[in-house]
Amino acid sequence: MSGILVIIAALGALIYLAYRGLSLLLLTPALAILAVLASEGGPLLASYTQIFMEATGGFIIQYFPLFLLGAVFGKLMEASGSARVLADGIIRGLGPARAILAVILSCAVMTYGGVSLFVVAFAVWPIASALFREAELPKVLIPATIALGAFTFTMTALPGTPAIQNAIPMPYFGTTPFAAPGLGVITGALMLGLGWVWLEYRARALGPGYGDEDDTSETRDTDSAPSLIIAAAPLVLVLALNLAFTFVLIPSMDTSYLAQPEFGQTDIGALRGVWSIIAALTLSSLVLVGLNWTCLAKGLSQTLDAGAKDSLKPIFNTASLVGFGAVIASLSAFALIRDWVVTAGGDNPLISLAIGTSLLAGMTGSASGGMSIALSTLGETYLEMGQAAGISPELLHRVTAVATGGLDALPHNGAVITLLTICGLTHKQAYKDIAMVAVIIPLVALAVLITLGTMLGSF
């Protein structure tokens, strides 16, 4: 029991200290080593170099291209003005009468196309602020509106999304980004629909008025901005190429060489999804540069450099959480927690998978971090349980991805803190509605997904 208390204390300290702003790069190894010392007095240096760093490095090796290319693509969208043009086009197209839906959809289109949610938040905020003021909608609802479009259904539910949360399960389950597409669309539509209804209800309940007349939105130069069609083309291309590489081009290749030791003695089933996203983002980035050459040429090297740098902090933070999880999983007390999680769903491994992934995402304040810890420690177990229960790997993939998108948005989540900072609001002012659309409703959608998947299987 004392070992379990040590694990809980380590996770609690991680949540609290991360919320206080301490670097995860320092926190995770320090707390992992303290957990080893407090629970077993084990080999500290070996726990750091052979467990923590092995797990951290393994994650970086596997997923760095996705973080790098996603960040570069998002930076190019931002620098070219395409992100702003898309947001403005959708918002202005639907008009003040549909201001909330317009902001949601503008965020959704960009994140589904591969733009970083942080880029989306910065791009949409000034336009959303102006539109909400024009429509006399409360400013305090803007963070929740952006969160619904950027942090929820496009991140975890919709098939084909290039979000890292949709990529991490692929090598564990041998799936593609389009796993369980029908269930994903239903789950995503439920998040969107319920979230939109909630925000419209809250707008009526709060009454008319922006609520901060001293607030001014940033005005932007539109002289060099691309047309809406040019701005949208790279996003459409990401999805189209992802589909093409996943189901046509890569399956047609001769990849028998992957069985050789120098290529990791693997097969294309474990790599197809990652390869597809790498190829789609690379080619789409090249097209984006070509379409916006006049705008991007002068500062292209600086933009690419900034995008590459933007990828470093997210991947190292996430990878360090994976290393922390690996050390915690090596403790003898973790076996008791693992056994409880595995049996929590009774005869239905989908429930167990959802509980374990959700709790870890909430504890770490990171969807990708929590998912990585869950799958690195229990992924093989869940796959075996699923096969024994006749559950397809595609359904396991979709449940895992959706399960990360609920408790991850607790108040200590970095994206939540950043979003509130951008909007100039506090947790007290705006978190209640973020919690509803990014925590409560995704958990409801997860329950529906598990129910449908249990009754109907994957489709």
Side-chain angles (χ1 to χ4, degrees):
M1 180 59 71
S2 61
I4 294 178
L5 292 177
V6 168
I7 292 175
I8 294 173
L11 288 169
L14 178 64
I15 293 172
Y16 175 75
L17 294 174
Y19 181 73
R20 299 290 295 178
L22 272 71
S23 169
L24 286 174
L25 298 180
L26 298 175
L27 274 179
T28 48
L31 290 174
I33 298 307
L34 286 175
V36 173
L37 182 63
S39 62
E40 299 172 350
L44 302 185
L45 289 176
S47 295
Y48 177 65
T49 61
Q50 305 308 114
I51 300 177
F52 182 92
M53 287 308 303
E54 285 282 342
T56 299
F59 183 89
I60 293 172
I61 289 171
Q62 192 162 28
Y63 295 110
F64 179 65
L66 303 188
F67 279 83
L68 174 65
L69 293 169
V72 168
F73 182 78
K75 201 65 179 179
L76 289 170
M77 288 288 293
E78 179 185 24
S80 66
S82 298
R84 173 172 47 83
V85 168
L86 277 170
D88 187 58
I90 294 172
I91 290 172
R92 299 301 178 188
L94 290 177
R98 290 286 182 267
I100 291 176
L101 179 61
V103 174
I104 294 169
L105 293 181
S106 65
C107 296
V109 167
M110 285 191 283
T111 51
Y112 189 54
V115 180
S116 161
L117 59 88
F118 295 102
V119 171
V120 170
F122 277 107
V124 170
W125 151 246
I127 307 168
S129 176
L131 188 61
F132 269 52
R133 183 183 288 105
E134 182 182 347
E136 295 191 336
L137 291 171
K139 175 188 176 182
V140 294
L141 294 181
I142 294 179
T145 306
I146 294 175
L148 176 58
F151 299 2
T152 61
F153 59 97
T154 57
M155 185 179 80
T156 63
L158 293 188
T161 176
I164 191 66
Q165 291 80 4
N166 193 41
I168 290 174
M170 295 190 297
Y172 292 98
F173 300 134
T175 49
T176 75
F178 298 90
L183 288 171
V185 169
I186 292 172
T187 306
L190 191 61
M191 292 185 203
L192 170 60
L194 291 178
W196 181 27
V197 168
W198 171 261
L199 291 171
E200 293 286 359
Y201 159 74
R202 286 285 292 153
R204 290 192 297 271
L206 292 172
Y210 184 72
D212 188 355
E213 298 307 324
D214 292 331
D215 179 73
T216 56
S217 300
E218 177 186 358
T219 58
R220 299 171 183 247
D221 176 30
T222 60
D223 291 341
S224 60
S227 68
L228 183 59
I229 294 176
I230 295 297
L235 300 185
V236 175
L237 195 59
V238 169
L239 180 59
L241 289 174
N242 199 352
L243 276 166
F245 277 102
T246 298
F247 296 111
V248 180
L249 299 177
I250 291 178
S252 68
M253 299 177 182
D254 178 11
T255 55
S256 57
Y257 60 85
L258 291 174
Q260 299 173 19
E262 58 265 38
F263 295 110
Q265 294 181 312
T266 185
D267 58 62
I268 194 59
L271 298 173
R272 180 173 54 158
V274 173
W275 283 11
S276 297
I277 296 177
I278 290 174
L281 285 173
T282 299
L283 294 176
S284 298
S285 295
L286 293 173
V287 169
L288 199 165
V289 172
L291 292 175
N292 297 275
W293 179 253
T294 302
C295 174
L296 292 172
K298 186 176 181 180
L300 182 59
S301 61
Q302 292 89 339
T303 300
L304 294 175
D305 184 58
K309 289 178 179 177
D310 284 349
S311 70
L312 297 180
K313 185 175 180 180
I315 191 169
F316 274 92
N317 279 345
T318 303
S320 64
L321 286 168
V322 173
F324 173 83
V327 173
I328 295 298
S330 71
L331 303 178
S332 58
F334 183 79
L336 300 174
I337 299 175
R338 181 192 60 211
D339 293 343
W340 175 81
V341 169
V342 168
T343 59
D347 295 331
N348 190 341
L350 295 178
I351 298 177
S352 167
L353 176 60
I355 291 174
T357 306
S358 294
L359 288 177
L360 285 168
M363 289 176 179
T364 59
S366 167
S368 54
M371 177 193 296
S372 298
I373 294 173
L375 292 180
S376 63
T377 55
L378 294 169
E380 197 171 318
T381 300
Y382 285 128
L383 182 59
E384 292 174 356
M385 291 170 62
Q387 291 172 338
I391 296 173
S392 72
E394 288 74 18
L395 182 53
L396 294 173
H397 173 132
R398 190 54 56 205
V399 168
T400 303
V402 173
T404 65
L407 297 182
D408 71 307
L410 292 175
H412 62 290
N413 175 269
V416 170
I417 295 171
T418 300
L419 178 58
L420 290 172
T421 302
I422 292 170
C423 297
L425 295 167
T426 65
H427 281 79
K428 182 178 180 180
Q429 292 172 308
Y431 184 73
K432 172 184 176 181
D433 295 297
I434 294 176
M436 179 57 71
V437 302
V439 179
I440 303 301
I441 289 175
L443 290 177
V444 171
L446 174 62
V448 173
L449 170 62
I450 293 173
T451 302
L452 290 176
T454 301
M455 295 173 58
L456 306 175
S458 178
F459 62 90

